[in-house]
Amino acid sequence: MPPLMEVRDLSKYFKVPAGVLHAVDRVSFTIEKGKTLGVVGESGCGKSTLGRTMIRLQEVTDGLILLNGEDITHVSGRKLREVREKVQIVFQDPYSSLNPRLLIEETIQEPLRNSCDYSRSQLKERASALMDLVGIDMRLRQSYPHELDGGRRQRVGIARALALNPEFIVCDEPVSSLDVSIQAQVLNLLMDLQDQMGVAYLFVTHDLSVVRHISNAICVMYLGETVEMCPSKELFSTSMHPYTKALLSAIPSIDIDEPMRPIPLKGELTSPINPKPGCRFFPRCPYAKGGCRQPLRLEEVSEKHFVACHRVREIN
Amino acid sequence: MPNQNDVSLTVRNLNVVYTSRKKIIHAVNGVSFIMKKGQTLGLVGETGAGKTTIAKSILRILPDPPAKVLGGEIMLEGKDLMKVPEKEMLKIRGEKIAMIFQDPMTALNPLMTIGDQIMEGLRLHNDYSEAEAAQTAKELLEMVGIHAERFKEYPFEFSGGMKQRVVIAMALACEPELLLADEPTTALDVTIQAQVLDLINKLRAKYHTSMILITHNLGVVAQTCDHVAVIYAGKIIEYGSKRDVFLNYAHPYTLGLFASLPSFSKDAPRLKPIQGSMPDPTRLPPGCTFHPRCPHVIEDCTKSEIPLIEVSPGHFCRCCNMRQEG
């Protein structure tokens, strides 16, 4: 059986006045049915672009996207509509991702109207079932998005994404704009839905504790490239890439007896425009050496643990 | 009562509302606290809890209307800031109390060079000549890790983390006694957040500045503050040393906040979120404002105002169920 979702050497470049911006560069991974791959990285690392490109919201520059073994990289027309029924997205900002002029009920019905031949009563019934599933009160059916708080709006976004029983959902920072107590409610909901419906997620976030909680495997991105990918717990116990180590060390712990010892990184994120060959983390890396300028590939260092670093064996 | 000389700021019974044509929003409902010199107080709470409103009332920069301070005292060096004339307040802002805003992208004037913006405060509060101010501004930039050559650049030429450093340099320019930091690192990535927190801590220690740090990130509080006030619906519901609040929390809301956080080390299949959402600030529930979401609610919770009770020396909690247990 082919995996549910597979990308091979996926790249997405943008032409900008200063040159070519490498937003996503040769990223490969697979996601099995009912599993979650977390994608983490700092702003500008290409994690959202990756999610959007994978589900064909943006044209692919290079590489392959396979859904159930079938190449969907360049499909169009009716075929693309079929793909869209199977892959959906939940956006980061529940304030701008809902149409302010549509009732909650209409928002949830919209994908059904586009893809199914439902009668009016069937539409209503399905929308009610979906609202029930994500825990939105029935009395909010005839409300507008502005009448709801962030957590409820995000539930509407999730209900809309689930309307067509997709197999795969890109969750693009779905809880980043929510308060912790509400964030926990939405995370629980996403995990329950996965158990019930077997949907797979690509979970994009910058919050490492969230990603550990929800993912089976984690992919760490830096300037458009995967620098480390491994099963989720392993990343926290035995991270190998210098960037991952720095990222983990910078999280302020809630344990008051465990002072933060962030590994200092030189400078800030360099530009993804016309990147130089070799390791892109090189200018900031505490372990950088001349050899790091050589071209670099992701390498399986131990079982299911991939790292892109020339010196991975020396420094671990 | 702490020695009067050790106290840097006293807030007593602060009440603030926002009014619109139809509604009154009760943003801050009777907040009181005392800060000692050199102390760092973390104000923790969710969106809409009133954290930023408290900070802005201390500086008296709330827009009126819609905001109205209904009452309360804010004592700094024996003066009630609520009563001093606006002219004197201009001297206090920036010189005695400075603020770091959440969003470094909007806190800076896009049409002024970084250097001019830092010099503005310096020249307003000191008798500096242009050259002296420029010299000091350059030193400040170097102190926050920005090369002095970038003095003449505009905000758009800096990244988010750099802009926040500039804002910090501006806030510390006149060596204020009290720093109000409103979510200073929320807009930043974690590696940059670590750098900025480190910088704030070092500079605070250097100038012996007291700080009120507003955040919803409990990790940031754990790593920077010595005292913590948990705010819910405009009220302090728990207050104490960091140890009291993080290890011996007494209020069910504080417990709920900690239980909502995914852990790095333990494997919990499900998080335990707080049920429901924040109450509507135009119609706050009677009694304990948390009671509609509280798993331990009893009849007393809905009846009357719950006072802050000292559960152990210096550790206060506003919960009537806990009082009965104690």
Side-chain angles (χ1 to χ4, degrees):
Chain A
M1 256 269 291
L4 174 70
M5 197 78 191
E6 180 174 3
V7 300
R8 282 189 209 150
D9 287 327
L10 187 72
S11 297
K12 174 67 191 172
Y13 300 162
F14 295 98
K15 282 208 179 81
V16 292
V20 180
L21 189 151
H22 294 229
V24 176
D25 224 346
R26 288 165 293 120
V27 170
S28 304
F29 54 76
T30 59
I31 303 173
E32 302 291 340
K33 186 177 183 319
K35 300 285 183 203
T36 303
L37 175 71
V39 179
V40 292
E42 297 182 283
S43 20
C45 73
K47 53 193 192 302
S48 289
T49 307
L50 170 67
R52 285 161 184 258
T53 311
M54 261 181 91
I55 60 166
R56 296 287 316 277
L57 286 181
Q58 280 159 340
E59 281 312 305
V60 178
T61 306
D62 199 13
L64 280 181
I65 310 167
L66 306 171
L67 178 66
N68 290 316
E70 199 182 325
D71 186 351
I72 61 159
T73 323
H74 299 291
V75 295
S76 60
R78 183 199 294 245
K79 198 85 191 107
L80 183 60
R81 284 179 76 95
E82 279 173 33
V83 169
R84 295 252 149 98
E85 288 173 22
K86 292 181 192 151
V87 295
Q88 289 285 324
I89 183 164
V90 176
F91 294 97
Q92 170 168 11
D93 182 2
Y95 292 84
S96 62
S97 60
L98 299 179
N99 185 335
R101 288 160 178 263
L102 289 189
L103 297 171
I104 297 310
E105 186 179 53
E106 290 171 331
T107 300
I108 298 173
Q109 287 172 357
E110 205 178 18
L112 300 167
R113 277 180 218 268
N114 283 337
S115 295
C116 313
D117 252 341
Y118 278 0
S119 70
R120 200 176 259 221
S121 63
Q122 278 174 313
L123 277 175
K124 272 218 169 344
E125 207 176 296
R126 179 82 181 118
S128 309
L130 284 162
M131 286 176 70
D132 196 38
L133 188 68
V134 299
I136 312 171
D137 211 329
M138 273 308 145
R139 70 189 159 81
L140 297 174
R141 211 170 49 210
Q142 304 276 334
S143 310
Y144 286 99
H146 75 264
E147 299 173 73
L148 272 55
D149 59 29
R152 293 209 177 85
R153 275 185 233 206
Q154 201 54 296
R155 286 172 194 266
V156 174
I158 294 170
R160 176 177 61 184
L162 288 171
L164 297 168
N165 283 325
E167 297 174 49
F168 176 69
I169 300 180
V170 171
C171 303
D172 187 2
E173 305 252 18
V175 295
S176 306
S177 62
L178 307 176
D179 279 315
V180 280
S181 70
I182 309 299
Q183 169 179 310
Q185 293 174 5
V186 173
L187 286 175
N188 278 345
L189 172 68
L190 287 169
M191 292 174 84
D192 291 344
L193 291 169
Q194 186 167 55
D195 288 345
Q196 287 166 30
M197 313 172 73
V199 58
Y201 297 132
L202 180 87
F203 198 96
V204 175
T205 182
H206 65 275
D207 187 330
L208 286 141
S209 60
V210 166
V211 85
R212 180 189 190 274
H213 183 75
I214 200 165
S215 313
N216 303 98
I218 297 176
C219 163
V220 184
M221 285 182 75
Y222 187 80
L223 282 181
E225 291 180 327
T226 305
V227 293
E228 184 158 6
M229 183 158 59
C230 67
S232 142
K233 274 164 220 157
E234 205 172 315
L235 189 82
F236 291 84
S237 58
T238 42
S239 59
M240 294 193 185
H241 195 282
Y243 177 64
T244 316
K245 288 174 195 255
L247 202 59
L248 290 173
S249 76
I251 304 166
S253 161
I254 62 161
D255 184 347
I256 58 172
D257 293 319
E258 190 192 306
M260 193 160 81
R261 284 191 200 85
I263 300 170
L265 288 184
K266 288 172 248 167
E268 304 197 3
L269 214 61
T270 42
S271 165
I273 299 168
N274 303 335
K276 294 196 182 91
C279 176
R280 289 188 190 168
F281 186 57
F282 173 83
R284 301 176 71 192
C285 182
Y287 303 101
K289 264 190 176 175
C292 295
R293 288 279 193 208
Q294 299 302 314
L296 183 67
R297 287 296 293 188
L298 202 61
E299 212 188 318
E300 189 160 8
V301 178
S302 60
E303 205 197 337
K304 288 192 177 164
H305 197 143
F306 299 85
V307 185
C309 174
H310 285 296
R311 303 192 60 203
V312 60
R313 290 198 170 76
E314 296 166 58
I315 62 177
N316 282 291
Chain B
M1 209 47 201
N3 185 332
Q4 208 55 49
N5 294 329
D6 298 340
V7 173
S8 101
L9 178 84
T10 312
V11 174
R12 247 181 244 136
N13 203 19
L14 182 68
N15 280 285
V16 186
V17 295
Y18 292 96
T19 50
S20 70
R21 242 178 304 169
K22 289 179 199 153
K23 291 172 177 172
I24 296 178
I25 293 162
H26 300 271
V28 179
N29 308 304
V31 163
S32 308
F33 58 87
I34 293 173
M35 278 189 73
K36 290 184 201 159
K37 286 207 168 109
Q39 197 183 40
T40 341
L41 174 70
L43 287 188
V44 191
E46 296 181 278
T47 320
K51 311 181 293 282
T52 302
T53 308
I54 295 172
K56 287 190 173 170
S57 357
I58 294 172
L59 264 186
R60 270 183 40 196
I61 51 170
L62 282 170
D64 175 10
K68 265 249 158 342
V69 179
L70 294 184
E73 264 183 9
I74 294 172
M75 303 293 289
L76 182 88
E77 296 181 334
K79 267 188 225 149
D80 185 353
L81 297 187
M82 291 285 159
K83 298 205 177 91
V84 303
E86 181 60 27
K87 213 174 163 191
E88 204 180 326
M89 203 61 210
L90 282 177
K91 283 199 174 144
I92 292 172
R93 286 186 204 121
E95 193 175 327
K96 303 266 186 219
I97 310 177
M99 185 151 176
I100 301 172
F101 293 91
Q102 172 168 6
D103 185 0
M105 322 295 158
T106 53
L108 295 169
N109 183 340
L111 299 178
M112 261 171 105
T113 63
I114 294 297
D116 282 347
Q117 297 192 49
I118 302 177
M119 278 164 60
E120 195 182 20
L122 282 170
R123 296 200 68 188
L124 197 69
H125 294 293
N126 302 295
D127 233 354
Y128 280 160
S129 69
E130 174 120 23
E132 279 169 336
Q135 185 52 37
T136 316
K138 282 179 182 162
E139 283 164 19
L140 282 162
L141 274 181
E142 290 282 352
M143 184 183 73
V144 297
I146 297 174
H147 289 304
E149 301 99 73
R150 304 195 65 179
F151 185 74
K152 288 218 167 112
E153 290 183 18
Y154 287 90
F156 77 90
E157 295 170 270
F158 291 78
S159 68
M162 300 276 252
K163 273 188 235 182
Q164 197 61 306
R165 285 161 192 264
V166 172
V167 173
I168 292 170
M170 282 166 69
L172 292 170
C174 299
E175 301 183 19
E177 276 159 47
L178 176 66
L179 189 61
L180 305 171
D182 185 4
E183 306 260 13
T185 57
T186 307
L188 309 174
D189 281 316
V190 275
T191 53
I192 310 299
Q193 164 172 289
Q195 293 173 6
V196 169
L197 288 180
D198 187 49
L199 177 70
I200 292 179
N201 280 337
K202 278 192 186 132
L203 295 176
R204 220 177 43 73
K206 187 172 162 195
Y207 295 120
H208 308 287
T209 314
S210 325
M211 175 166 80
I212 298 182
L213 179 79
I214 296 172
T215 181
H216 63 272
N217 187 331
L218 291 164
V220 170
V221 175
Q223 300 298 333
T224 36
C225 299
D226 40 50
H227 281 72
V228 185
V230 185
I231 317 276
Y232 187 77
K235 278 192 183 129
I236 293 181
I237 54 110
E238 185 156 4
Y239 173 89
S241 71
K242 179 166 68 181
R243 196 155 285 277
D244 289 337
V245 177
F246 275 69
L247 302 178
N248 302 313
Y249 41 76
H251 198 283
Y253 176 67
T254 316
L255 169 89
L257 281 183
F258 282 108
S260 299
L261 290 177
S263 159
F264 281 106
S265 42
K266 280 180 240 119
D267 285 311
R270 279 179 70 85
L271 301 168
K272 297 189 192 70
I274 305 168
Q275 295 307 311
S277 41
M278 287 276 280
D280 180 349
T282 60
R283 283 174 301 162
L284 289 175
C288 170
T289 43
F290 186 61
H291 85 254
R293 303 175 74 184
C294 183
H296 309 292
V297 64
I298 53 169
E299 213 189 323
D300 282 3
C301 301
T302 58
K303 280 185 183 155
S304 57
E305 184 80 358
I306 319 287
L308 264 180
I309 295 166
E310 193 160 13
V311 278
S312 60
H315 182 194
F316 297 84
C317 175
R318 199 186 287 276
C319 177
C320 59
N321 214 346
M322 175 214 66
R323 178 174 50 183
Q324 288 192 337
E325 281 166 21

